[in-house]
Amino acid sequence: MPFGFPAYTEQTVRFRGSARKELARAALDALDDLGWRPLKDGPDRIRASVPNGFSGIVMTWGANFFVEIDDEELFIRSEGAIAIAWMDLGQHSQNIRKFLDRLEDFLEDE
């Protein structure tokens, strides 16, 4: 969603053959490696804070990042850290891509 209060992007990704525990460990490791300060928000949910950054030449306010874990599946959401961050300049899609790239690296290592 390019506009909203706050703006967000969501994606569901399947990982055939990956158990919930394996996905949870890889997700925590990927978020920690990115420096996004992951916190367990329940048995099957991880919350993280994406720091301020740049999308092109525009500074972004950072984001709240959520990962919900199921067997062979992750539901991922990146949303503006503050309600007035109503316009997504591609940073939320970029956050999800960065996370998935790191997650796949950790899954390959296991």
Side-chain angles (χ1 to χ4, degrees), residues 31-73:
L31 291 166
D32 188 49
D33 191 60
L34 289 166
W36 292 357
R37 300 186 314 266
L39 298 169
K40 291 282 277 181
D41 203 21
D44 298 322
R45 184 176 163 103
I46 301 168
R47 178 174 39 99
S49 296
V50 179
N52 296 348
F54 286 91
S55 182
I57 61 169
V58 178
M59 183 174 166
T60 62
W61 288 97
N64 295 317
F65 197 84
F66 303 94
V67 180
E68 292 183 21
I69 304 154
D70 202 356
D71 285 326
E72 299 186 344
E73 188 172 80

Side-chain angles (χ1 to χ4, degrees), residues 13 15 23-24 26-32 34 36 38 46 48 50 65-69 74-77 92-106:
V13 183
F15 294 91
L23 288 173
L28 283 168
D29 288 345
L31 291 166
D32 188 49
L34 289 166
W36 292 357
I46 301 168
V50 179
F65 197 84
F66 303 94
V67 180
E68 292 183 21
I69 304 154
L74 295 178
F75 173 76
I76 306 162
R77 178 182 172 107
H92 299 303
S93 295
Q94 185 178 24
N95 290 343
I96 290 174
R97 276 193 307 277
K98 281 183 191 177
F99 168 74
L100 289 174
D101 287 345
R102 292 304 301 138
L103 177 83
E104 289 170 0
D105 289 344
F106 282 104

